[in-house]
Amino acid sequence: MTYQHSYAQSIADPAAFWAEQAESLAWYRKPSLTLQDNPDGTHRWFADGRLNSCYLALDRQIELGRGEQLALIYDSPVTGVQQAFTYHQLRDEVARLAGLLRQLGVGKGDGVIIYMPMVPQAAMAMLACARIGAVHSVVFGGFAANELALRIDDARPTLLLTASCGLEFDRVIEYKPLVDRALQVARHQPRNVLVLQRPQARAQLQAGRDLDWQQALASAEPVAPVELDAGDPLYIMYTSGTTGKPKGIVRENGGNAVALCYAMRHIYGMQAGDVWWGISDVGWVVGHSLIVYGPLMSGCTTVLYEGKPIRTPDASAYWRVVEQYQVSALFCAPTAMRAIRKEDPDGERIRKHDLSSLRQLFLAGEKLDSSTHEWLERVTGKPVHDHWWQTETGWPVTAPCVGLEGSAARPGSSNRAVPGYHVRVLDDDGHLLGPDQQGSIVIALPLPPGCSQTLWGDHERYLQAYLQTYPGYYHTGDGGYLDEDGFVYIMGRTDDVINVSGHRLSTGEMEDLVARHPAVAECAVIGVHDEIKGQVPLALVVLKDGEGIAEAQLLVELVGSVREEIGALACFNQVRLVKRLPKTRSGKILRAVLRKIADGQAYVPPSTLDDPAVLGEIEAVLADLPRAG
Ligand code: AMP
């Protein structure tokens, strides 16, 4: 099957294309309805199909004869533990944990929050929820208590699963005090908190509410997977929007299974038995699609790595893992490769490892800069591919489809649209733009299976955020262009979302926090270039009249509050004082102009600008910022 043929068919007749892909799945009831239009512009995939994602990921693989094949390899340089689970072993662990969840009153459709480090039990917890039809929401362990509380109040979980601690290369981060604090702040309370005690820290358990994971599990009985509708939610994944309130992206069981099996085979070129390494965290969408569901539903062996690219113990960590487990292909964010390059610019550590098993490397989460791209290809000697996706889509929108013939890759671009995605570029008025013309990147409806069709408990917000800006199209929030051969170039977000080390964060949320400081009159937070992290936030602050606080002191206080409220992952550590901010005559801060000045890009002062003199002042304050190369 060629890329060209698949792509043309997927756009001309999406229902026929995806009905064929769905054939390969072991449904309890095969869908007879493939695609239905809803009046509000959203779509339903496989409406009358019935399946179970955990069954497909585990039991089905055993039925296909993979029971003794390794399903999951846990490699934890921070604890020194290496552990492997066959499909049989993983299924048995998950079935028992699912039994415990049910014993604790968790049923179909109930929310379960998972706030855990990168341990096998985190993946088991996700699969256990899927087995009984509960809806999991994994919250990244780097988020502070307040962020966890926001998600608890939105997801309204029956149960919260956590561990006593997570581990960095140099310290133990206790999770339980964060959970306790979040539950003090949250209005909603889960009935129980299940705590995995790790030897590096012991958590205090609150009688009546908290339970010891291992003890509780000892008396649990395994349970079988339940039949679910294709449209039943598998999970909620919160992601930053442009406001402080995170968006609960909802992923459905049916579309997700069809899309991920397609992606693993045709985009990533994976076959059953291959070893796949999704280098990410279960707290992000990549962790869901490329650590847990995608590889397991495809019969691969998945690697779950609790470590860093450097310092655990050094910049050869990734290459050691590739060699040790014979990894066939991997996914990684560019920021990790930049960190490795900084420590091993000539690839000396790479050459010490046998990478012969590795066929290719896929990078996403932020733009892959050409310098890192060229370096990585040179030092590994392997094809390196940029590809682009979002939490909302759950699987790649553009990518080289290495499992399809005739699929070319083009360095510098995040490659062509994957079958199923009709990617277009529009100007501000919604007119289609031609090759090489830059505008808003959109996807013509219907979105393919797997893409989110709603936000948890707030369908209106989904419609407003994604479908109403350009009727008939899904609005990605990214700007860029297509070249004449259809290769896509992503230039960055067109909204107030920034990407720090591949983590998506809302500048609006940080602005709210900065503005709460008693000395601050007003502020704007923008993303500025960072050599390793891609972007980091910078706050431009106007002080209240008569305020004498020094910039250094203000910085300490603001850094403290962003750490406390959002978490260290925000990497918020730059504040600049300015006399005023550029605004429209109606008083709106012109953040797009600020971003251009910070990036050293040419810009045209908007006609709505109140006082053009302010731009010179801002340029002077931001003149020393590092620029993208
Ligand atoms: P997230 O939902 O956290 O995965 O973030 C998605 C956003 O990350 C996209 O909307 C893009 O702005 C950015 N992104 C992801 N992959 C790429 C890529 N390959 N090139 C450029 N930007 C990317």
Side-chain angles (χ1 to χ4, degrees):
M1 185 68 79
T2 66
Y3 164 76
Q4 283 78 3
H5 179 81
S6 294
Y7 188 76
Q9 199 204 355
S10 76
I11 302 304
D13 192 348
F17 180 82
W18 289 109
E20 200 183 318
Q21 304 310 323
E23 278 292 318
S24 59
L25 236 63
W27 301 83
Y28 295 127
R29 184 170 74 205
K30 281 217 158 111
S32 65
L33 302 162
T34 306
L35 175 62
Q36 290 172 298
D37 298 342
N38 292 325
D40 60 11
T42 57
H43 291 85
R44 289 180 78 192
W45 285 102
F46 315 117
D48 59 346
R50 288 179 69 79
L51 77 168
N52 182 288
S53 297
C54 177
Y55 163 75
L56 295 176
L58 301 174
D59 309 65
R60 177 66 184 158
Q61 304 306 323
I62 296 170
E63 288 168 10
L64 292 170
R66 302 193 182 110
E68 298 314 309
Q69 183 197 310
L70 289 187
L72 186 144
I73 295 170
Y74 168 56
D75 186 289
S76 170
V78 289
T79 58
V81 176
Q82 295 176 350
Q83 206 179 354
F85 300 83
T86 64
Y87 271 98
H88 251 133
Q89 289 166 331
L90 190 60
R91 194 271 314 268
D92 291 350
E93 294 278 352
V94 167
R96 212 144 59 85
L97 183 56
L100 172 59
L101 299 192
R102 194 173 277 165
Q103 202 179 303
L104 294 173
V106 180
K108 176 174 177 283
D110 287 345
V112 173
I113 291 239
I114 302 173
Y115 183 66
M116 293 186 68
M118 284 288 283
V119 290
Q121 287 82 356
M124 290 169 190
M126 293 161 71
L127 290 160
C129 289
R131 197 168 186 85
I132 57 171
V135 184
H136 62 73
S137 181
V138 186
V139 178
F140 177 59
F143 278 120
N146 180 56
E147 290 290 325
L148 177 57
L150 282 174
R151 286 154 177 79
I152 291 170
D153 279 337
D154 198 75
R156 308 182 60 75
T158 307
L159 179 70
L160 191 153
L161 290 93
T162 190
S164 56
C165 66
L167 296 152
E168 288 289 319
F169 67 94
D170 58 347
R171 72 204 138 99
V172 173
I173 299 162
E174 293 201 34
Y175 276 31
K176 189 59 184 1
L178 295 169
V179 169
D180 289 339
R181 201 141 15 105
L183 289 175
Q184 275 163 14
V185 179
R187 287 185 309 279
H188 175 84
Q189 298 294 309
R191 218 175 296 148
N192 293 106
V193 176
L194 192 60
V195 185
L196 180 75
Q197 296 283 16
R198 303 188 78 189
Q200 295 79 9
R202 280 203 80 74
Q204 295 287 330
L205 302 189
Q206 183 179 306
R209 186 194 70 183
D210 302 347
L211 299 163
D212 179 284
W213 187 302
Q214 295 303 351
Q215 270 175 19
L217 197 60
S219 59
E221 293 293 331
V223 293
V226 299
E227 271 192 37
L228 298 170
D229 285 335
D232 282 336
L234 169 64
Y235 68 80
I236 312 166
M237 176 82 245
Y238 287 93
T239 188
S240 297
T242 49
T243 67
K245 189 173 184 289
K247 291 176 181 162
I249 304 296
V250 177
R251 189 89 51 223
E252 295 173 1
N253 278 280
N256 183 62
V258 173
L260 291 183
C261 289
Y262 183 82
M264 289 307 293
R265 179 146 170 230
H266 297 293
I267 299 178
Y268 298 109
M270 290 289 106
Q271 305 284 344
D274 282 343
V275 181
W276 166 262
W277 187 15
I279 312 180
S280 182
D281 189 284
V282 285
W284 306 117
V285 68
V286 179
H288 291 57
S289 299
L290 295 188
I291 296 178
V292 180
Y293 293 109
L296 295 177
M297 284 178 178
S298 308
C300 297
T301 300
T302 188
V303 179
L304 188 131
Y305 175 71
E306 188 182 27
K308 301 277 174 210
I310 54 173
R311 300 196 196 172
T312 59
D314 57 35
S316 64
Y318 280 9
W319 319 122
R320 190 265 304 161
V321 171
V322 168
E323 179 178 4
Q324 187 169 341
Y325 305 116
Q326 297 286 291
V327 171
S328 317
L330 62 80
F331 171 102
C332 173
T335 182
M337 290 302 175
R338 289 196 293 266
I340 293 174
R341 180 187 184 182
K342 193 155 181 261
E343 305 225 336
D344 186 21
D346 301 323
E348 276 168 27
R349 291 177 188 278
I350 299 175
R351 280 191 290 279
K352 291 198 182 114
H353 291 276
D354 175 6
L355 304 187
S356 56
S357 63
L358 192 65
R359 300 197 287 260
Q360 39 231 331
L361 299 90
F362 293 88
L363 277 80
E366 56 178 306
K367 191 172 171 54
L368 174 59
D369 59 281
S370 53
S371 161
T372 306
H373 192 163
E374 284 159 19
W375 171 81
L376 193 53
E377 279 196 331
R378 183 162 46 78
V379 294
T380 59
K382 309 285 175 181
V384 172
H385 303 300
D386 188 7
H387 66 321
W388 167 65
W389 46 307
Q390 308 183 306
T391 304
E392 288 84 344
T393 65
W395 65 290
V397 182
T398 68
C401 295
V402 305
L404 291 173
E405 284 167 33
S407 171
R410 186 166 288 180
S413 124
S414 53
N415 293 298
R416 281 183 295 199
V418 165
Y421 289 102
H422 194 188
V423 176
R424 313 301 293 260
V425 183
L426 303 180
D427 71 12
D428 289 348
D429 300 322
H431 299 121
L432 277 173
L433 290 172
D436 299 330
Q437 289 184 296
Q438 199 166 319
S440 285
I441 303 200
V442 296
I443 302 165
L445 300 177
L447 290 169
C451 295
S452 177
Q453 298 283 343
T454 193
L455 294 178
W456 187 250
D458 201 350
H459 191 62
E460 257 320 296
R461 191 177 176 202
Y462 176 90
L463 298 176
Q464 188 233 319
Y466 302 111
L467 300 193
Q468 282 168 3
T469 317
Y470 300 113
Y473 297 97
Y474 165 84
H475 176 53
T476 68
D478 282 317
Y481 63 94
L482 267 70
D483 68 15
E484 56 186 339
D485 300 322
F487 285 82
V488 177
Y489 297 77
I490 305 291
M491 306 310 287
R493 298 289 304 189
T494 54
D495 56 15
D496 296 325
V497 168
I498 61 169
N499 199 313
V500 180
S501 297
H503 302 157
R504 181 163 149 188
L505 296 161
S506 156
T507 52
E509 187 177 13
M510 289 184 233
E511 278 178 18
D512 284 351
L513 282 174
V514 173
R516 272 193 240 156
H517 190 284
V520 173
E522 60 179 352
C523 67
V525 176
I526 54 170
V528 297
H529 174 71
D530 181 87
E531 203 192 327
I532 300 291
K533 300 187 170 74
Q535 279 189 307
V536 288
L538 175 141
L540 291 162
V541 170
V542 181
L543 290 180
K544 287 182 181 156
D545 284 350
E547 259 303 336
I549 188 165
E551 202 174 61
Q553 179 57 29
L554 182 68
L555 177 67
V556 170
E557 292 174 18
L558 292 178
V559 167
S561 79
V562 174
R563 257 181 179 259
E564 179 69 22
E565 298 280 325
I566 298 176
L569 82 168
C571 297
F572 178 92
N573 53 24
Q574 295 190 68
V575 174
R576 302 278 168 102
L577 295 181
V578 292
K579 285 205 222 60
R580 55 204 175 128
L581 290 165
K583 288 191 187 166
T584 62
R585 278 179 222 107
S586 60
K588 266 189 154 177
I589 297 173
L590 288 158
R591 290 181 182 78
V593 173
L594 287 173
R595 287 199 291 263
K596 288 224 155 94
I597 296 177
D599 285 343
Q601 284 177 20
Y603 64 92
V604 181
S607 54
T608 49
L609 181 65
D610 187 26
D611 177 3
V614 65
L615 298 178
E617 293 167 24
I618 301 284
E619 280 174 19
V621 171
L622 300 183
D624 63 331
L625 287 178
R627 316 284 186 197

